[in-house]
Amino acid sequence: MDLLHGFVKTSNFYDDLNFPQGFNRSGHFTIQEAELLTAIGKRLFQLEHQLAEPQNHTEENFVAMCVTKRDPETRLESLWHKYKSATQSKRFHTLSSSVKDNVDNAFNELEGNY
């Protein structure tokens, strides 16, 4: 099992929906944060959405943070919190669809990228 900062290493993570130019060009993350998010973001996404089981204490703590909404305690927890804050849907009204439809569509597109 290949670990990166205590997390099981998976394939690279990209969020083309929210960051079409990549994390490093978004202006939201430092170069180091962008590299770390690319390297471990897929595993964090899987753990948060219960698509994978935690394999160690570090991953269990991360899942606990996601479930309880407690403040981040580690560098990676803080990075994931920063990513989530940057991708939270803004509420807006359109004439053709509801906000819920827009959020559901955005999640479905993001899920296809993982």
Side-chain angles (χ1 to χ4, degrees), residues 5 9 13 17 35 38 48-49 54 60 88 95 98-99:
H5 294 277
K9 179 76 172 93
F13 177 65
L17 178 66
E35 290 172 355
T38 299
E48 178 185 25
H49 296 283
E60 289 170 357
Q88 283 182 338
L95 297 175
S98 71
V99 172

Side-chain angles (χ1 to χ4, degrees), residues 13-38:
F13 177 65
Y14 304 101
D15 181 353
D16 294 333
L17 178 66
N18 294 299
F19 302 100
Q21 301 299 316
F23 298 121
N24 57 341
R25 294 181 178 211
S26 69
H28 290 288
F29 308 101
T30 66
I31 293 170
Q32 189 176 29
E33 287 174 335
E35 290 172 355
L36 199 52
L37 192 54
T38 299

Side-chain angles (χ1 to χ4, degrees), residues 1-16:
M1 172 172 25
D2 190 19
L3 295 179
L4 180 64
H5 294 277
F7 289 86
V8 174
K9 179 76 172 93
T10 60
S11 59
N12 286 347
F13 177 65
Y14 304 101
D15 181 353
D16 294 333

Side-chain angles (χ1 to χ4, degrees), residues 34-81:
E35 290 172 355
L36 199 52
L37 192 54
T38 299
I40 201 71
K42 182 175 180 179
R43 181 65 177 176
L44 301 179
F45 180 88
Q46 290 172 334
L47 289 168
E48 178 185 25
H49 296 283
Q50 300 175 349
L51 300 172
E53 292 293 320
Q55 298 297 310
N56 57 45
H57 187 65
T58 302
E59 291 186 348
E60 289 170 357
N61 284 339
F62 176 80
V63 170
M65 179 205 66
C66 293
V67 170
T68 65
K69 308 283 190 226
R70 71 163 164 76
D71 289 336
E73 295 175 352
T74 68
R75 178 176 163 202
L76 275 172
E77 288 177 357
S78 295
L79 177 57
W80 191 248
H81 187 265

Side-chain angles (χ1 to χ4, degrees), residues 79-90:
L79 177 57
W80 191 248
H81 187 265
K82 184 176 184 178
Y83 165 78
K84 296 295 289 184
S85 295
T87 59
Q88 283 182 338
S89 298
K90 308 287 188 279

